[in-house]
Amino acid sequence: MTTLVSTTDTLTRDALAVLQPGFTGTTAPDWLLRRVGEGLASVGLFGRNITSPEQLSALTERLRSEREDVLVAIDEEGGDVTRLEVTHGSSFPGNFALGSVDDVDLTRAVAQELGRRLAECGVNLNWAPSADVNSNPGNPVIGVRSFGADTRLAARHTAAYIEGLQAAGVAACTKHFPGHGDTAVDSHLALPRIDVDLDTLHARELVPFRAAIAAGSKSVMSAHILLPALDPDRPATLSPQILTGLLRQELGYDGLIVTDAVEMDAIAGTYGIERGSVLALAAGADAICVGGGLADEETVLRLRDALVAAVRSGDLTEERLADAAARVRALASWTQRVRGDIRESGAAVQEGTAPGTGVSSDIGLVAARRAVRVTGSGDRLTGASYVASFSAVANIAVGDETPWGIAAELERILPGTGSDTYTDQSTAPADAILAAAGERRIVAVVRDEHRHAWMGAALDALLAARPDTIVVEMGLPQSDPRGSLHIATHGAARVCGLAAAEAITGTKA
């Protein structure tokens, strides 16, 4: 057992420092401010905490009145996963759209403008990008959050994204190490398992993470996945072989290691959040992400006390806890220093560009337009249409509170356009769509049709009755596009819907 040399106050402060909790509401609660004053070094924000840039700026300013160097983290991937614009959809296409364009300068520019907007609101740590190679098209949790299934493409865009984001003064958190792309299970709900050999892992999953390390990613997020080739017993988040042996020693990574949320069932349902957090730190993690589902003071105190108790019992060494806390504080210091450098350099603002970057302030729409692929010989829309959106339950990372689709844009461009949403619970959806559309041309909007048999069946019936139907795929497109026109957006961000509406009508917003 390690001999204790620290005071209880020091242990408590270090235990608080390694937590990245969330909270409810759009203002910082008193308990959170109190814990920040006591040593809590990070706070995680989610869509529930944000209503506008002005409100977010006031929130982060209040947090910094308690601790100037507090890390304010957010899960802002752009595309389908947005917290900054949760109520109306993202102004930036996601990774898959950027990968489909395959212009690393564009990816870098998108990430830099996204980072600038985050930094402007006081956010300095982004739990992004996803470096996962989406090798399994049936993956229920990654999909369009990945740059694609091509390993080298994913690697070069991961690096470009990190460079752009961190050029804006926001630390990147590359995820989900060592790679979540070949899973068929959502780790929010259970523990996924990837049964591939070491050669495959090194040739596929690990390549983008090597690129991320070379690009200087300030943090890396672990995945709650079991990889028997690396550790047959524990998921990556809790594995010394993976976090310390592979990431630290073999790959030479020296930045902050953050866990994915410990309240996800892959950890909470198997180990419990207290033991899971202790095991994660002992394995080599430096920061414990918690607060997407558990967002209260009791959770913070439970984890703080569990870490202190683990040091006292010898389950976690005092040195490991102190090292983890020091890494958190070092990242906080970097964010302060780099933001000061950016403000001081103050690049000239050009018309049509984002302040201090030289990047187009409309870069998200520019990128979304470039990502659209149109196939088929059908005519474009010139009059009122009927938009049928086929909606499945969104995975938890995406959430179901963010709107998606193209109905609103088409209704604006073509007055008289109607719309409705259909699910796997809809009775005879094709018949209902035909009745609702009447004489109007139909636009069927799907997301990952290949993963949902009911969508495919409904679309088959619809196309048989109305061959002039336009199909818009806002998820992973398949090899055989169908419809008189087929529009692939490579993501469901608001700007992807706008770009699709422009392509269908031949007009610009």
Side-chain angles (χ1 to χ4, degrees), residues 169-232:
V170 176
C173 185
T174 307
K175 60 189 184 186
H176 306 80
F177 185 83
H180 211 309
D182 194 21
T183 58
V185 172
D186 186 340
S187 51
H188 292 86
L189 307 174
L191 179 61
R193 177 185 175 112
I194 299 181
D195 286 302
V196 297
D197 57 31
L198 283 174
D199 288 343
T200 301
L201 286 169
H202 280 276
R204 187 178 66 187
E205 272 74 16
L206 295 180
V207 173
F209 289 97
R210 290 182 185 272
I213 293 168
S217 183
K218 291 297 176 181
S219 61
V220 168
M221 178 175 283
S222 66
H224 303 330
I225 54 176
L226 188 68
L227 297 101
L230 294 171
D231 187 333

Side-chain angles (χ1 to χ4, degrees), residues 270-297:
T270 307
Y271 298 89
I273 64 169
E274 292 96 333
R275 181 164 179 257
S277 296
V278 170
L279 291 174
L281 280 174
D286 305 305
I288 305 297
C289 176
V290 64
L294 298 174
D296 53 44
E297 183 177 22

Side-chain angles (χ1 to χ4, degrees), residues 298-320:
E298 180 187 356
T299 298
V300 172
L301 298 181
R302 283 168 57 195
L303 294 183
R304 180 201 66 184
D305 293 347
L307 295 175
V308 171
V311 170
R312 296 194 179 285
S313 69
D315 291 334
L316 176 66
T317 68
E318 183 181 311
E319 291 82 2
R320 175 78 272 275

Side-chain angles (χ1 to χ4, degrees), residues 72 101 262 284 294 467:
V72 180
V101 178
V262 292
L294 298 174

